[in-house]
Amino acid sequence: MAGLSLVQHIILEQRRAPEASGEFTLLLNDIVSACKAIAHEVNRGGLAGNLGIAGSENVQGEVQKKLDIITNDIFIRSLEWTGHLAAMASEENDEIIPIPAHYPRGKYLICFDPLDGSSNIDINLSVGTIFSVLRAPDGIAEPSEADFLQPGTRQVCAGFCVYGPTTLMVLTTGNGVNGFTLDRDVGEFILTHPDMRIPEDTAEFAVNMSNRRFWEEPVRRYVDECMLGLDGGREKNFNMRWVASMVAEVYRILVRGGIFMYPYDTKSPGKGGKLRLMYEANPMSFIVEQAGGASSTGRERILDIRPEHVHQRVPVILGSKNEVDRVVSYHGQHRA
Ligand code: AHG
Ligand code: MN
Ligand code: MN
């Protein structure tokens, strides 16, 4: 199939914006190269000695897998030298990652989760990479953490890669959502899923049920109603999925609808949720909204949150619009 490649697709988008310099297209090309290299390492798995834990913890206090570190290094090394970024922020690095002094700087910032769903690595289930591109504030030579703290509405681009039975990249630059499948024979991501749209209604929910006792009342009410289905006042019965890999859950929702929740819980008080705003919740929310879905903490639109820290966590409720709206309305009723 001689389809349009991801970079060709971005070049066509760039032509529609006459003021564009082409720098963004080049940055995206670097991201594509990084994800292809990561796909290769994930795919090699145990053959390359890539499985298992690394014996260290990241800033979040999470045990790092070997592949968390390998993929983080690939992402940083692919992007730091090409001159399109002013700084980077990664799930695996406590501090902002500066561009080494001997390389040129560009006008963009990137936040990324190099390996999402890493608990799935050793059991051969889907994992992925998530990224969010922001503009560096004008006139800032050495961006600091404060320069990253822009609301999700300011994202220039968001995307994720899923390393599953096929390797797929899903991307938005604010003109809808497109999905590209890696054709390993030619080494290109090819447009296979143009203009992805999330159905407004769904009968499928995704949540880690083992946390039920730690949730707030509105989420418990919603999930309990889904469980009861026709016997509990809903107009249909629901099905449930939990992959424990946000990239796989969001991809499923883009293909056939659904609602995904990692809500506020009291398991780790003070953390505000499990998922990280700047490199998980924001990019996924941008993609979901661009595909016609909705994304909220239950109390506010995720893309409107003013970030306080690069590693900040937030509750996440996203997917098919009518179900997300229902959960948000339960939060409103509970407050009243
Ligand atoms: P990461 O591997 O980058 O730390 O992220 C994992 C996240 C997310 O992808 C998934 O939805 C969630 O954690 C799974 O959490 P549980 O193990 O608590 O179900
Ligand atoms: Mn993650
Ligand atoms: Mn991760």
Side-chain angles (χ1 to χ4, degrees):
M1 175 181 140
L4 199 64
S5 79
L6 194 153
V7 172
Q8 287 171 330
H9 171 82
I10 295 298
I11 290 171
L12 292 179
E13 275 202 352
Q14 183 196 316
R15 279 190 194 149
R16 288 207 296 266
E19 72 289 353
S21 65
E23 188 173 344
F24 174 72
T25 304
L26 294 171
L27 170 62
L28 208 70
N29 201 25
D30 298 341
I31 297 171
V32 164
S33 301
C35 289
K36 284 194 273 197
I38 292 174
H40 179 70
E41 289 302 327
V42 168
N43 197 250
R44 295 277 296 155
L47 295 174
N50 286 346
L51 304 183
I53 57 168
S56 50
E57 283 189 357
N58 67 10
V59 56
Q60 339 262 342
E62 295 160 342
V63 173
Q64 288 179 306
K65 302 272 181 177
K66 282 186 197 164
L67 267 173
D68 283 321
I69 294 175
I70 294 167
T71 57
N72 195 41
D73 285 348
I74 291 174
F75 217 86
I76 295 170
R77 302 293 160 245
S78 306
L79 294 173
E80 67 181 357
W81 64 278
T82 54
H84 312 306
L85 290 174
M88 299 178 258
S90 164
E91 178 190 356
E92 303 301 335
N93 293 65
D94 193 354
E95 308 281 338
I96 298 311
I97 307 161
I99 300 301
H102 51 287
Y103 294 135
R105 266 121 240 268
K107 62 182 178 199
Y108 294 105
L109 303 173
I110 193 164
C111 302
F112 60 94
D113 175 355
L115 194 67
D116 178 62
S118 54
S119 71
N120 280 335
I121 267 296
D122 296 343
I123 56 172
N124 201 30
L125 287 183
S126 293
V127 289
T129 300
I130 312 174
F131 57 90
S132 159
V133 178
L134 296 162
R135 267 191 197 87
D138 282 342
I140 303 275
E142 273 315 318
S144 64
E145 179 174 3
D147 298 311
F148 280 83
L149 304 180
Q150 309 176 32
T153 47
R154 301 260 290 272
Q155 291 171 101
V156 175
C157 160
F160 67 89
C161 220
V162 197
Y163 314 109
T166 58
T167 291
L168 280 142
M169 189 176 290
V170 171
L171 197 71
T172 186
T173 54
N175 290 312
V177 177
N178 292 291
F180 304 82
T181 306
L182 180 61
D183 182 335
R184 288 179 190 270
D185 292 337
V186 291
E188 295 269 21
F189 282 98
I190 305 294
L191 180 62
T192 46
H193 296 69
D195 196 19
M196 301 182 89
R197 302 294 300 168
I198 300 175
E200 290 194 349
D201 290 300
T202 182
E204 196 163 69
F205 69 99
V207 72
N208 185 338
M209 284 297 291
S210 70
N211 291 327
R212 185 186 178 283
R213 70 187 188 283
F214 303 109
W215 296 336
E216 294 183 300
E217 194 45 43
V219 171
R220 237 183 263 175
R221 172 182 170 194
Y222 173 75
V223 173
D224 288 353
E225 284 178 5
C226 290
M227 301 280 285
L228 287 168
L230 284 168
D231 293 341
R234 287 299 308 250
E235 65 296 353
K236 56 193 167 190
N237 290 323
F238 279 74
N239 194 4
M240 199 202 90
R241 287 286 184 278
W242 187 247
V243 189
S245 183
M246 192 189 199
V247 285
E249 320 269 11
V250 172
Y251 188 71
R252 184 185 64 249
I253 288 171
L254 284 163
V255 171
R256 67 177 190 212
I259 178 169
F260 166 89
M261 289 176 284
Y262 215 113
Y264 177 83
D265 66 42
T266 55
K267 210 162 65 165
S268 333
K271 283 196 170 167
K274 170 162 188 185
L275 299 174
R276 279 58 58 105
L277 174 62
M278 303 224 47
Y279 40 83
E280 291 176 325
N282 265 344
M284 291 311 205
S285 300
F286 189 21
I287 290 166
V288 164
E289 284 198 7
Q290 281 291 316
S295 179
S296 169
T297 64
R299 297 189 165 84
E300 67 180 316
R301 182 186 176 215
I302 286 179
L303 293 180
D304 285 335
I305 296 175
R306 301 209 157 265
E308 288 170 11
H309 309 285
V310 155
H311 297 295
Q312 175 176 347
R313 294 171 190 261
V314 289
V316 175
I317 298 159
L318 59 75
S320 291
K321 194 173 177 317
N322 290 339
E323 291 301 307
V324 174
D325 287 352
R326 179 184 278 262
V327 183
V328 169
S329 80
Y330 288 3
H331 281 79
Q333 289 168 24
H334 193 70
R335 204 166 22 205

